[in-house]
Amino acid sequence: MEKKENNPRLTIEAMRALLQQSLKPKRYEHSIRVYETAIKMAEHFHADGRKVALAALIHDCGRQVPKEESVDKAKELGIPVDPVEEAQPILLHAKLGVYYAIHKYGVDAKDKEVLDAIRYHSTGTADMTDTAKIVFLADLIEPGRDFEGVEEIREASFRDLDKGMLLSYDNTIRYLLQDGLLIHPDAISGYNQLAAKYKKGKKRK
């Protein structure tokens, strides 16, 4: 069993240093770009800048566990693994990230807003907070990202968080279907909630 570390009240600077030691350079650089993008979005939408910054910085801290070891590591730590995660272990870095956020980076285990932002930054889910939406979107639109449709998602994400989320779900689901990959139920729940919201909006017009 892995020894549980606990580093209460780490500063952002200390977290950055610890993250840099724990991740490969490209993953760390991505994390910093997500952090910087998320801060801009938090300012734009008047969100809780402290929670956004914290969640965005360490959203990928679970990546310290190699993908091929993530299922075994999650089970070792008592983290539930669902069938989609078993088939696509890369998804488990989000749940592992919650564990390390608490036990390595000193995030309060009761800070559901920060932990949920880390937990759902890859799949999304229904009923996300603004903090979680910002971290999810910042991960997708940070300046290093370059995929078809990213500019449209960037523009929408700074105009309307829910519209940015809906476009992101649409883009991601299309990609997963095209590559024959599984779609996590949380992503379906998030997509359906927002698709229904905008469908109702169109009917009212």
Side-chain angles (χ1 to χ4, degrees):
M1 176 68 71
E2 181 170 308
K3 181 182 177 182
K4 292 185 178 182
E5 302 176 62
N6 214 333
N7 299 313
R9 293 185 292 277
L10 285 181
T11 64
I12 285 289
E13 290 74 21
M15 286 184 180
R16 284 181 67 150
L18 190 56
L19 194 69
Q20 189 169 21
Q21 294 168 11
S22 303
L23 300 182
K24 292 180 179 180
K26 285 187 178 180
R27 182 59 48 186
Y28 172 73
E29 291 161 9
H30 160 74
S31 297
I32 296 303
R33 291 193 298 269
V34 172
Y35 168 73
E36 293 171 346
T37 302
I39 288 174
K40 291 178 184 176
M41 294 182 72
E43 291 173 351
H44 182 75
F45 289 105
H46 306 290
D48 188 323
R50 186 192 69 81
K51 288 183 182 293
V52 167
L54 179 55
L57 178 64
I58 61 172
H59 77 283
D60 265 352
C61 66
R63 290 272 196 155
Q64 74 173 63
V65 179
K67 179 177 67 174
E68 59 273 13
E69 298 174 15
S70 57
V71 172
D72 288 341
K73 176 58 70 175
K75 290 178 179 179
E76 175 191 326
L77 297 174
I79 297 169
V81 178
D82 66 40
V84 177
E85 293 160 346
E86 187 99 40
Q88 291 171 188
I90 189 64
L91 292 173
L92 279 170
H93 79 275
K95 286 182 176 178
L96 288 165
V98 171
Y99 176 88
Y100 289 116
I102 296 167
H103 297 293
K104 184 172 182 175
Y105 293 87
V107 176
D108 188 340
K110 296 179 181 178
D111 197 338
K112 190 174 186 297
E113 189 169 351
V114 169
L115 297 177
D116 278 358
I118 296 170
R119 167 71 179 83
Y120 296 110
H121 81 267
S122 285
T123 60
T125 191
D127 301 317
M128 292 172 76
T129 64
D130 282 356
T131 295
K133 291 172 186 176
I134 287 170
V135 173
F136 180 99
L137 291 168
D139 184 30
L140 201 66
I141 67 171
E142 57 94 342
R145 298 294 198 190
D146 182 20
F147 57 86
E148 187 176 351
V150 68
E151 287 301 333
E152 182 183 7
I153 297 173
R154 282 191 180 116
E155 191 277 329
S157 296
F158 275 91
R159 179 164 37 87
D160 182 324
L161 288 175
D162 281 351
K163 188 63 176 178
M165 289 295 302
L166 185 59
L167 286 174
S168 298
Y169 284 130
D170 182 77
N171 184 283
T172 301
I173 290 170
R174 286 174 188 271
Y175 166 78
L176 293 172
L177 289 172
Q178 186 176 7
D179 280 26
L181 297 171
L182 303 182
I183 303 170
H184 198 279
D186 287 335
I188 298 296
S189 295
Y191 170 80
N192 283 344
Q193 184 181 59
L194 294 181
K197 170 186 172 179
Y198 283 99
K199 188 175 183 180
K200 287 179 182 176
K202 287 179 181 178
K203 285 182 177 179
R204 291 194 190 104
K205 290 181 180 179

